[in-house]
Amino acid sequence: MYTLLEPLLTPDQIKLTDADRRAAVAKLDSAVRQAALAPSQASERQLQLLTAETRGELRKIMAGVPDATPPRGLTTALRAFTGVWLVTCVVQFVIWVALAMFGHFDGPWWLWSDLGLGAVVAILWWTNESYHRKSDVLVAP
């Protein structure tokens, strides 16, 4: 169960994939084209990418490159909403089971709030992931 929730609770500890590295290299190349980074800085960061293992390390490597990694506030919101969602799910389920044990069985009313908060977590996760997957950074004219 923890391996399922780990990316939501600790997004900066996710292992880097080849796709993450390719997207980061494309963003570094785009930063050079936009004159946000010198070519020597970009090549130094590309070398650091080879040894980086987590997205937290990627965040440090890509510091100063615009829109290269999710904002810290987004990852904090993802962690916070995931925590609230999990606690809400567990508490409401326990209350529902306790009521059912005493003869007050009702439909799974807790699903409405769990699904609503789950949708918020899904949107935050999708937004967070979009930073790691997009490699076609637009160049301003």
Side-chain angles (χ1 to χ4, degrees):
M1 179 77 151
Y2 185 71
T3 57
L4 178 67
L5 298 176
E6 183 179 13
L8 296 172
L9 293 171
T10 57
D12 281 345
Q13 297 305 316
I14 296 174
K15 297 279 186 204
L16 282 179
T17 64
D18 290 335
D20 292 336
R21 285 187 175 87
R22 282 192 301 272
V25 168
K27 290 173 188 175
L28 288 172
D29 291 342
S30 177
V32 169
R33 285 193 304 273
Q34 294 175 358
L37 281 179
S40 61
Q41 292 173 318
S43 62
E44 179 182 315
R45 291 181 187 208
Q46 285 180 4
L47 289 175
Q48 291 174 349
L49 273 173
L50 295 175
T51 60
E53 294 183 15
T54 64
R55 287 185 174 172
E57 293 174 33
L58 176 66
R59 179 184 298 282
K60 292 175 187 170
I61 293 168
M62 301 300 280
V65 178
D67 290 333
T69 58
R72 181 67 69 188
L74 177 61
T75 55
T76 302
L78 176 60
R79 293 179 71 187
F81 273 96
T82 300
V84 168
W85 175 58
L86 289 173
V87 168
T88 302
C89 289
V90 169
V91 168
Q92 289 186 13
F93 184 75
V94 167
I95 291 170
W96 181 68
V97 168
L99 287 171
M101 287 181 2
F102 292 109
H104 298 293
F105 184 76
D106 200 7
W109 46 265
W110 45 270
L111 280 176
W112 291 108
S113 59
D114 290 353
L115 292 175
L117 282 173
V120 172
V121 170
I123 290 168
L124 288 171
W125 175 250
W126 179 80
T127 305
N128 187 61
E129 280 298 297
S130 70
Y131 279 90
H132 294 287
R133 299 296 178 235
K134 66 180 178 185
S135 60
D136 54 338
V137 180
L138 297 175
V139 177

